[in-house]
Amino acid sequence: MLSKRMQEAMNAQVNAEFWSAYLYLSMSMHFEKEGYKGIANWFAVQFKEEQDHATIFMNYINSRDGKVTLLPIDAVDTSWDSILHAYEETLRHERVVTGRINDLYTIALEDRDYASQSMLKWFIDEQVEEEETARDYIDALKKIGDNGYGLYMFDKELAARTYTVPAPLATTAE
Ligand code: FEO
């Protein structure tokens, strides 16, 4: 069974993942309106992934005989003055999430909760990828600057992103 402290921390993480989903949905809607369909698509896929992250935590809490408690989701920003600023916010936010995952892992170590340590390893790897992707896009956008053709090509590239079910949910669906 999960410790009370771990259950509370994981429920807070469920809320944080849904907040992330809401943030990226807001970005998706903003860039759709601005005419950047590819960037809107990228953030729409991100929206789905964050809901998956929340689901992985909820499934896990249930599997350990815990209680999932859904908390209110705070408001998110609704507009960004550039694509670069949206990705800078994405990176800042993902770094915060990485810190939260690390804090959960610390609790798992202190509780000698080996199952939670194992479960959290997927998220630790996922956060490395999340931060790297945001950093790569920031680098690209800084090079592009105000170049309209560059932004057009960037938008086209992001239109190709497709959603795939993350591994922890793919295995539980079998
Ligand atoms: Fe759920 Fe973007 O980390």
Side-chain angles (χ1 to χ4, degrees):
M1 214 177 153
L2 292 174
S3 70
K4 187 171 179 296
R5 181 169 68 142
M6 181 59 99
Q7 178 172 292
E8 279 171 9
M10 284 204 172
N11 271 307
Q13 189 61 28
V14 169
N15 185 263
E17 299 289 353
F18 278 127
W19 188 86
S20 303
Y22 205 41
L23 172 69
Y24 295 137
L25 179 62
S26 186
M27 287 181 176
S28 177
M29 293 299 113
H30 171 77
F31 288 111
E32 181 78 38
K33 178 74 182 152
E34 294 288 305
Y36 289 107
K37 284 190 181 297
I39 292 155
N41 169 66
W42 193 91
F43 281 113
V45 173
Q46 198 71 7
F47 164 60
K48 284 191 196 155
E49 284 195 354
E50 298 299 349
Q51 291 176 85
D52 287 342
H53 296 171
T55 303
I56 295 165
F57 274 103
M58 290 189 291
N59 288 350
Y60 179 74
I61 294 167
N62 286 331
S63 73
R64 297 290 309 281
D65 200 21
K67 164 89 173 121
V68 173
T69 310
L70 298 178
L71 304 165
I73 299 167
D74 290 341
V76 292
D77 286 345
T78 53
S79 66
W80 290 266
D81 57 15
S82 71
I83 303 163
L84 175 62
H85 286 161
Y87 275 99
E88 283 172 341
E89 185 176 348
T90 297
L91 179 58
R92 256 195 320 275
H93 175 61
E94 290 300 336
R95 284 179 173 153
V96 170
V97 174
T98 300
R100 298 185 63 105
I101 298 288
N102 290 345
D103 289 347
L104 285 169
Y105 198 83
T106 302
I107 295 172
L109 288 173
E110 287 172 2
D111 284 356
R112 297 168 66 93
D113 177 349
Y114 302 110
S116 295
Q117 289 171 36
S118 174
M119 177 269 187
L120 288 165
K121 279 188 180 134
W122 183 85
F123 282 95
I124 291 168
D125 295 340
E126 172 73 5
Q127 284 310 120
V128 172
E129 204 183 299
E130 294 266 61
E131 287 189 28
E132 185 183 12
T133 305
R135 262 198 328 272
D136 286 350
Y137 288 158
I138 288 167
D139 288 345
L141 286 162
K142 281 182 178 166
K143 285 180 194 124
I144 292 166
D146 289 333
N147 184 296
Y149 184 68
L151 289 171
Y152 170 77
M153 291 307 290
F154 184 82
D155 187 58
K156 249 180 134 45
E157 185 182 317
L158 269 59
R161 185 183 187 192
T162 54
Y163 168 75
T164 48
V165 179
L169 286 184
T171 45
T172 52
E174 277 168 12

